[in-house]
Amino acid sequence: MVLESLGSSISSAVKKVLRAPVVDEKVVKELVRDIQRALLQSDVNVRLVLDLSKNIEKKILEEELPPGITRRELAVKVVYDELVSLLGGERPQPPKYPKGKTTILLLVGIQGSGKTTSASKLAWLFKKQGYSVGLVCADNFRAGAYDQLKQLAEKAGVAFYGERDAKDAVELAVNGVKKLKESGTEIIIVDTAGRHKNESALIEEMRQVAEAVKPDEIILVLDATIGQQAAQQAEAFNSATKIGTILLTKLDGSARGGGALSAVVATKAPIRFIGTGEGIEEIEVFNPKRFVGRLLGMGDIESLVEKFKEAEISKTGKDTMSAIASGRFTLKDLYAQMQAMRKMGPFSKILQAIPGFGMNLPKESIDLTEEKMKKWMVIMQSMTEEELTEPHIIDGSRARRIARGSGTTTKDLKELLTQYKISKKYIKQLVKKQKRMQGLKGIFTAR
Ligand SMILES: Nc1nc2c(ncn2[C@@H]2O[C@H](COP(=O)(O)OP(=O)(O)OP(=O)(O)O)[C@@H](O)[C@H]2O)c(=O)[nH]1
Ligand SMILES: [Mg+2]
């Protein structure tokens, strides 16, 4: 069996849903099982797996579909949302360190993960934010380490401490921190050594360095290209020195960084920054939404959601056509039309395209703007299925509930219902008049 990273196995589970001809209960159950398996294989706590997957299943199967959203779309969106929240939620969260005090950051990670490069990137970034910054080279293992960091410190324009030929890494780190602290440096970044082999010695050294330096935050530097090994690495470091945050490097290549998800789960530490190149400026605050989109292989989830919507609209468009042809025209049809029309551009054109809108009313009596259309769509989203198909049942108490639920007023609702009635009446006349003509379709599919 090929051991996939947590990210890529979830990604393939979601792709299965995307490929399924219909998304029914069976497909959803399989998705949930796949996700459970992926999580369990990554040693995620059983309790957490059950909670998470139950949550996903419930949301996909029981949530009422918003108009124009398919179950498939919902399924992808639910998984996406859960992963985003697992990775820290909506907004990127840049760290805030106190001014006028010393904060010590210790970078750990295996050889070649990008510690030294990332140390200088962080230094550059914090300096730009107005902090005084210093870099400490605590790597006495690799011959070139001292010169590498010294040069990068010059590039970033920050202080540097290092000792050529130092014997002891712990002493080296302590000396550096002491020296920079004395000179009033606000953020001290300690770069440590990596190892090829003999990782237990590395882990032990990190433990000792951390104990001596007492960092405010230990940053695990993780190479995005390593896949499943990420979990083991993260765990090994985390058991020796409590990892505070993760910095994910080399996301500029083709790597999706799926291993990072396992690392986050293993350490419960959030990803704060990502490295997107070799240059000193190529660092970004981690953005969970963008990352999950990429992880699921969807680049930009918005465009996917958009695509599903389009498909759904053309389908409802057809349904609406036949509804109209038979003289049946509900608020649902009106909603679908508005949604489709909004994508078509100039509002004046939209007005002309919806039967009855803007035609039967004097222009000045109704200020039909994009705003208003949006408001009406929100109102319709607050209605029940029954109210949408049988609007005449909307009485006073229902009206108040709908207005409350949509953050509008009953006056807004009344206005919408009036418009709906005018549209419906107009359509009836239209259907009668043009019964034998085929031109009707053209009105609705105007591009
Ligand atoms: N493309 C790309 N390359 C990176 C990134 N971060 C680091 N690198 C490259 O990865 C290689 C190793 O980076 P270092 O910063 O020296 O790694 P290290 O963890 O300090 O390595 P050791 O000190 O030997 O343990 C270098 O060639 C860097 O240029 C990144 O975000 N993108
Ligand atoms: Mg290094």
Side-chain angles (χ1 to χ4, degrees):
M1 190 186 71
V2 183
L3 202 58
E4 284 180 299
S5 79
L6 178 55
S8 59
S9 41
I10 290 180
S11 161
S12 30
V14 170
K15 292 230 169 69
K16 250 195 237 172
V17 175
L18 291 177
R19 279 195 305 263
V22 275
V23 176
D24 52 13
E25 195 171 334
K26 191 168 152 270
V27 172
V28 172
K29 289 231 146 100
E30 192 175 337
L31 167 72
V32 171
R33 259 200 312 275
D34 285 348
I35 291 176
Q36 281 177 346
R37 200 175 307 131
L39 290 167
L40 289 172
Q41 268 174 10
S42 303
D43 296 327
V44 179
N45 174 285
V46 177
R47 191 73 251 156
L48 183 76
V49 172
L50 287 180
D51 286 350
L52 192 84
S53 52
K54 228 193 275 161
N55 208 6
I56 290 178
E57 179 172 332
K58 202 168 141 70
K59 277 192 185 153
I60 300 176
L61 289 177
E62 292 175 18
E63 223 164 74
E64 198 177 321
L65 286 179
I69 304 279
T70 63
R71 187 74 54 194
R72 186 194 310 274
E73 191 178 0
L74 182 67
V76 175
K77 184 77 173 9
V78 166
V79 174
Y80 168 81
D81 285 345
E82 292 294 323
L83 290 181
V84 168
S85 95
L86 194 70
L87 285 172
E90 291 276 310
R91 256 173 283 271
Q93 305 165 349
K96 282 240 179 330
Y97 299 117
K99 296 281 294 176
K101 273 172 72 182
T102 303
T103 299
I104 302 165
L105 308 178
L106 179 68
L107 266 58
V108 301
I110 66 147
Q111 185 170 56
S113 55
K115 292 177 297 297
T116 305
T117 311
S118 302
S120 66
K121 286 176 176 179
L122 288 171
W124 171 83
L125 189 79
F126 294 139
K127 187 186 178 228
K128 213 175 64 170
Q129 291 174 355
Y131 292 99
S132 62
V133 187
L135 284 164
V136 176
C137 173
D139 180 358
N140 65 340
F141 182 76
R142 201 162 48 79
Y146 174 95
D147 290 313
Q148 186 193 5
L149 191 65
K150 189 164 189 284
Q151 276 169 23
L152 287 168
E154 273 162 28
K155 223 182 207 169
V158 301
F160 169 77
Y161 182 91
E163 295 168 26
R164 252 187 238 279
D165 314 315
K167 288 274 170 319
D168 183 49
V170 179
E171 228 179 86
L172 184 50
V174 169
N175 290 347
V177 168
K178 187 161 173 271
K179 191 85 183 239
L180 288 173
K181 202 170 177 176
E182 277 166 9
S183 64
T185 308
E186 286 168 319
I187 299 182
I188 301 173
I189 303 168
V190 183
D191 178 29
T192 60
R195 294 277 201 290
H196 222 8
K197 298 175 262 185
N198 218 351
E199 273 187 34
S200 55
L202 168 68
I203 301 286
E204 176 55 23
E205 183 176 298
M206 289 311 112
R207 198 186 59 71
Q208 288 177 16
V209 171
E211 216 172 79
V213 165
K214 298 194 175 35
D216 297 278
E217 182 178 324
I218 299 179
I219 303 177
L220 175 67
V221 178
L222 206 63
D223 181 335
T225 63
I226 61 166
Q228 186 58 25
Q229 291 168 46
Q232 280 168 287
Q233 273 183 29
E235 212 135 79
F237 279 104
N238 196 45
S239 61
T241 61
K242 185 84 195 95
I243 299 300
T245 60
I246 294 171
L247 192 156
L248 196 58
T249 65
K250 308 184 194 179
L251 264 178
D252 45 314
S254 58
R256 293 209 185 121
L261 196 60
S262 332
V264 168
V265 170
T267 58
K268 299 190 180 59
I271 305 171
R272 275 284 159 72
F273 290 105
I274 58 169
T276 56
E278 300 197 343
I280 204 162
E281 300 175 11
E282 286 168 306
I283 180 167
E284 289 172 26
V285 173
F286 175 66
N287 179 333
K289 281 182 148 183
R290 200 181 308 150
F291 180 80
V292 174
R294 175 176 166 140
L295 190 70
L296 294 179
M298 292 166 192
D300 172 15
I301 189 111
E302 305 298 333
S303 69
L304 179 93
V305 169
E306 219 36 46
K307 208 166 102 195
F308 281 154
K309 257 191 204 157
E310 300 276 0
E312 182 67 9
I313 282 166
S314 60
K315 191 177 146 284
T316 35
K318 270 185 211 137
D319 293 348
T320 309
M321 280 310 303
S322 60
I324 290 167
S326 68
R328 195 166 39 82
F329 184 76
T330 69
L331 279 172
K332 272 172 105 174
D333 300 312
L334 182 64
Y335 186 93
Q337 283 305 313
M338 283 191 171
Q339 199 173 38
M341 299 298 170
R342 275 185 61 193
K343 294 190 175 303
M344 287 172 144
F347 198 70
S348 54
K349 250 187 161 173
I350 298 170
L351 277 185
Q352 289 160 17
I354 302 182
F357 273 70
M359 287 180 178
N360 284 13
L361 288 169
K363 266 202 170 66
E364 57 278 13
S365 80
I366 180 159
D367 178 23
L368 231 154
T369 59
E370 178 79 29
E371 262 332 273
K372 185 156 280 177
M373 186 133 104
K374 265 190 214 151
K375 192 188 261 180
W376 287 349
M377 289 174 82
V378 172
I379 293 176
M380 287 191 263
Q381 280 165 6
S382 289
M383 293 185 186
T384 64
E385 182 75 18
E386 205 187 357
E387 287 159 356
L388 287 168
T389 44
E390 311 281 344
H392 61 86
I393 65 165
I394 300 174
D395 55 11
S397 83
R398 281 180 189 260
R400 281 190 294 278
R401 194 211 75 235
I402 294 166
R404 213 172 31 243
S406 56
T408 59
T409 63
T410 50
K411 190 164 158 275
D412 293 323
L413 173 62
K414 223 175 243 166
E415 196 174 52
L416 163 66
L417 292 176
T418 306
Q419 268 299 262
Y420 161 69
K421 277 182 201 142
I422 293 169
S423 276
K424 191 172 170 163
K425 199 167 127 205
Y426 184 83
I427 282 166
K428 268 194 180 150
Q429 288 168 2
L430 207 68
V431 170
K432 240 188 240 166
K433 254 194 242 164
Q434 307 192 334
K435 217 168 195 171
R436 281 178 304 269
M437 288 178 68
Q438 288 187 318
L440 185 60
K441 197 170 180 182
I443 296 170
F444 293 95
T445 51
R447 34 194 90 219

